[in-house]
Amino acid sequence: MIRVMAALDSRRGIADERGRPWHGKIPGDITYYRSKIATGVVLMGYGLYEVLSQPYPGGTNYVATTKDAPLRDGFMAVHDVRAFLKDATEDVWNVGGAGLYSSTIDFADELYLTKIQADFHCTKYFPVYETAFRLVSESEPMTENGVTYTFCVYTRAK
């Protein structure tokens, strides 16, 4: 099963040049995120790898990269992401960023989206997904530090 995990604002924005504009404002989302990806395979883009100080605990951390330079301990390079996903035998959590989401959304079976009810004027976006996926669950709205959000799960439409 290929699952995508992302937080997006009301315009499908996921980040700007400095990162996620809501960083630190919704700790409930971080708890949810970490609980979901705690086991199994995590696939991330090189940009996310660069900002992490250590691998996510509990699973294998793969980094989509075209670079030949070795990665830090605990991370494994993936040079052909589409082949990696096509041949995956374990559950994979795709945690982005924008380029990785866009190039692999067609492999996703499920989307775990934190939908933030505000426009953060992002410059990086989650791909259009609404026609290819259907909503199967949505939490009640939660508000932390003035930011309201819901947890939504989508499955690929048949």
Side-chain angles (χ1 to χ4, degrees):
M1 174 100 32
I2 309 299
R3 295 181 173 101
V4 171
M5 173 71 80
L8 42 144
D9 74 6
S10 61
R11 296 183 60 231
R12 288 192 341 273
I14 60 170
D16 61 22
E17 286 72 25
R18 294 178 304 276
R20 292 172 296 141
W22 50 83
H23 181 70
K25 294 181 180 176
I26 49 176
D29 179 52
I30 297 298
T31 301
Y32 178 75
Y33 175 86
R34 290 191 179 263
S35 73
K36 292 296 180 191
I37 67 167
T39 59
V41 171
V42 175
L43 174 66
M44 68 190 74
Y46 196 83
L48 178 55
Y49 160 76
E50 287 186 305
V51 300
L52 292 178
S53 59
Q54 61 189 8
Y56 291 117
T60 308
N61 288 245
Y62 289 96
V63 180
T65 182
T66 57
K67 302 175 188 301
D68 289 327
L71 301 176
R72 297 187 311 271
D73 287 346
F75 296 94
M76 298 175 62
V78 172
H79 296 291
D80 186 340
V81 175
R82 295 183 66 79
F84 174 81
L85 292 172
K86 181 180 172 215
D87 298 336
T89 58
E90 297 179 74
D91 288 349
V92 176
W93 286 98
N94 176 347
V95 296
L100 185 60
Y101 291 142
S102 293
S103 66
T104 61
I105 189 106
D106 56 319
F107 283 92
D109 299 302
E110 295 179 339
L111 307 177
Y112 286 72
L113 303 179
T114 301
K115 296 177 87 175
I116 300 167
Q117 298 173 10
D119 179 357
F120 279 86
H121 307 287
C122 294
T123 55
K124 299 174 185 178
Y125 295 90
F126 193 79
V128 174
Y129 63 92
E130 293 87 352
T131 58
F133 294 87
R134 63 179 178 82
L135 180 66
V136 293
S137 71
E138 183 173 12
S139 71
E140 291 296 320
M142 295 161 272
T143 302
E144 293 180 294
N145 299 310
V147 179
T148 301
Y149 62 97
T150 57
F151 298 129
C152 299
V153 178
Y154 291 80
T155 60
R156 182 160 296 281
K158 300 296 180 201

